[in-house]
Amino acid sequence: MSRKGLQEFEIDTKPSKKTSKQKFNDFFYNEDTGAILGRTPQSWAKILVFYTIFYAALIALFSICMVTFMQQFINPRVPRLQQDYGLIGTSPGLGFRPLPEDVRSTLIYYKGTGYDSYKYWENQLIDFLSVYKKKGQTAGAGQNIFNCDFRNPPPHGKVCDVDIRGWEPCIDENHFSFHKSSPCIFLKLNKIYGWRPEFYNDTANLPEAMPVDLQTHIRNITAFNRDYANMVWVSCHGETPADKENIGPVRYLPYPGFPGYFYPYENAEGYLSPLVAVHLERPRTGIVINIECRAWARNIKYDRRERLGVVHFELMIE
Ligand SMILES: *[C@@H]1O[C@H](CO)[C@@H](O)[C@H](O)[C@H]1NC(C)=O
Ligand SMILES: *[C@@H]1O[C@H](CO)[C@@H](O)[C@H](O)[C@H]1NC(C)=O
C-alpha cells in the first residue's frame, strides 16, 4: 500500500457515522477495505492454504494408522509372524489330554471303576474330541475334507479327516477305557503355521535314542508299505526302570505317530490336528507311574527341561 493509500485508509477508518444497515452490508462486502465476510481475499487465501496443509497432514497420519492396522486383516489365514518369528518357535510342543483341573498338575488320578471316579476325565476327553466328532455338521469344514493318504496328500485348501470313531477301545461309548483301569490318553502336536516335519523315514538310519520297540515297528510297517515311513513318530514309556515296568503294554491308535500328510498346517477351513490315542493296556494300580511321551522328527527339538518335543504326565489308578 502506498503512503497515500495508507493515509486514505487512516482517514477512512476514522469513526464514521454509518447506519447499522450499512455496517451489516459492510460485513459481506466492505467497499473501503475490499474485505469479504470480514476478511480480505489475501487473508482468505492464507486460511485456505493453511487448512489444505493441515488436513493433508491429518489424512496422511490417519492413512498410516489404517494401513498398519489393516495389514493384519489382509489375509486372516496367514499369520504375520511366521516360523522363526513366532513365539512357539519352529519346534512344535507335544500335549496330552485329558488335562487335570489344576493347571500346575500333570497327574491323572482316579479311584476305582465307578463312574463318579473317572467322569471328570471322561468329560474332559468328550469335550476335547467334540470338534472331531461334529466336523461333518459345521459349515465349511465338512465339504473341505479330502480323502488323504500317504500317496495322496490333500490339495491346497483341503484338509484330512481324523476319524476317531474307529479307535476302539479309545472311544467315548467305551468311556475311553477308563472304567477298565486301562485308560486312553490322547496326544497332539501343537500347530505351527507352515511347519514341515523332516521325517525319520530311513529305516537304516533311525536315531539311537529311539526306543527299540518303535524302531522294530517302523521297520516292520515300512517293509509292508514304504509310504508309512513319512510319519512324525510317537513313543511313550515309563521314566524310571520301575515306571517302565509298571506302565505295562502300550498301544497306539491309529498309528504310533502323526501321518505326514497332515503337514504343513496352513489354517485351511476345518483343519484338525492329527491325534494319537495311547492305550495303556495294563498299568499297575495303586502306584504313581511317571510317563514320558516323545515326538520324533529331525526338526523337533528334544529337551526335557524345556519340555520340547516331549510331554510328561503321571498316572495313578487306585
Ligand atoms: C523322507 O522324508 C523327507 C522329508 O523329511 C522327504 O523329502 C523324502 O521324500 C522322504 N523319503 C521317502 C522315501 O519317502
Ligand atoms: C509286523 O507287521 C505285520 C503286519 O502288519 C504284523 O502282523 C506283525 O505282528 C508285525 N510284527 C511286529 C514285530 O510288529
Side-chain angles (χ1 to χ4, degrees):
M1 228 181 254
S2 68
R3 179 86 195 120
K4 189 168 173 270
L6 206 67
Q7 278 167 347
E8 275 169 9
F9 182 78
E10 279 163 358
I11 292 158
D12 283 346
T13 49
K14 272 179 186 164
S16 59
K17 288 175 189 118
K18 282 186 174 173
T19 64
S20 58
K21 193 183 172 206
Q22 263 175 326
K23 274 184 193 161
F24 184 72
N25 286 340
D26 278 356
F27 174 69
F28 289 101
Y29 181 67
N30 190 327
E31 279 174 46
D32 307 328
T33 60
I36 303 160
L37 292 172
R39 282 182 194 281
T40 61
Q42 203 192 3
S43 167
W44 277 117
K46 276 185 195 163
I47 284 178
L48 200 70
V49 169
F50 172 79
Y51 277 105
T52 309
I53 294 169
F54 178 75
Y55 281 113
L58 212 61
I59 287 167
L61 270 176
F62 181 71
S63 308
I64 291 167
C65 284
M66 277 315 267
V67 166
T68 315
F69 183 65
M70 291 302 282
Q71 256 170 10
Q72 297 173 38
F73 298 98
I74 289 169
N75 189 347
R77 297 205 167 272
V78 180
R80 264 155 48 73
L81 298 171
Q82 279 185 29
Q83 295 275 335
D84 283 339
Y85 308 109
L87 280 176
I88 324 170
T90 35
S91 190
L94 195 61
F96 75 96
R97 296 289 189 286
L99 286 175
E101 217 164 349
D102 179 351
V103 291
R104 287 162 303 179
S105 164
T106 50
L107 174 65
I108 297 174
Y109 168 82
Y110 67 100
K111 215 171 174 174
T113 52
Y115 176 67
D116 276 345
S117 78
Y118 61 82
K119 73 174 176 205
Y120 168 80
W121 305 108
E122 182 178 343
N123 289 337
Q124 282 279 307
L125 282 177
I126 288 172
D127 223 40
F128 170 64
L129 296 171
S130 62
V131 286
Y132 290 84
K133 278 212 140 180
K134 68 176 181 220
K135 68 214 161 192
Q137 288 122 42
T138 37
Q143 68 243 35
N144 253 355
I145 291 177
F146 184 77
N147 198 4
C148 304
D149 197 296
F150 286 95
R151 297 227 155 167
N152 227 357
H156 189 80
K158 294 279 178 187
V159 296
C160 300
D161 195 11
V162 184
D163 192 1
I164 59 168
R165 283 166 309 179
W167 298 0
E168 267 181 81
C170 301
I171 53 174
D172 60 356
E173 292 84 352
N174 190 39
H175 309 286
F176 306 104
S177 204
F178 270 70
H179 65 313
K180 288 183 180 151
S181 300
S182 59
C184 293
I185 311 298
F186 288 75
L187 298 180
K188 182 186 162 190
L189 211 54
N190 290 342
K191 290 186 285 191
I192 295 183
Y193 187 91
W195 180 79
R196 278 171 204 274
E198 287 162 22
F199 308 108
Y200 284 120
N201 56 9
D202 177 8
T203 48
N205 255 319
L206 296 174
E208 253 174 63
M210 191 182 259
V212 176
D213 54 346
L214 179 57
Q215 291 198 24
T216 310
H217 177 89
I218 295 173
R219 294 206 175 94
N220 190 6
I221 202 170
T222 51
F224 169 71
N225 185 343
R226 186 71 192 77
D227 301 322
Y228 276 88
N230 293 323
M231 220 156 347
V232 176
W233 301 106
V234 158
S235 65
C236 294
H237 56 86
E239 280 179 11
T240 65
D243 294 324
K244 283 189 203 328
E245 221 170 86
N246 293 336
I247 192 173
V250 181
R251 247 178 89 205
Y252 306 88
L253 297 159
Y255 313 106
F258 306 106
Y261 50 75
F262 280 92
Y263 304 97
Y265 156 68
E266 282 175 333
N267 205 6
E269 185 80 52
Y271 179 90
L272 291 171
S273 287
L275 299 175
V276 173
V278 179
H279 183 211
L280 305 170
E281 292 181 299
R282 275 192 310 279
R284 194 156 164 203
T285 55
I287 194 164
V288 175
I289 309 170
N290 294 290
I291 300 169
E292 191 180 271
C293 295
R294 181 169 169 186
W296 298 86
R298 269 179 245 278
N299 57 348
I300 294 181
K301 291 187 195 110
Y302 172 69
D303 189 328
R304 288 179 68 174
R305 283 252 307 278
E306 299 286 323
R307 300 245 175 274
L308 283 176
V310 67
V311 69
H312 162 97
F313 58 90
E314 303 99 49
L315 176 72
M316 167 126 182
I317 309 170
E318 255 186 331

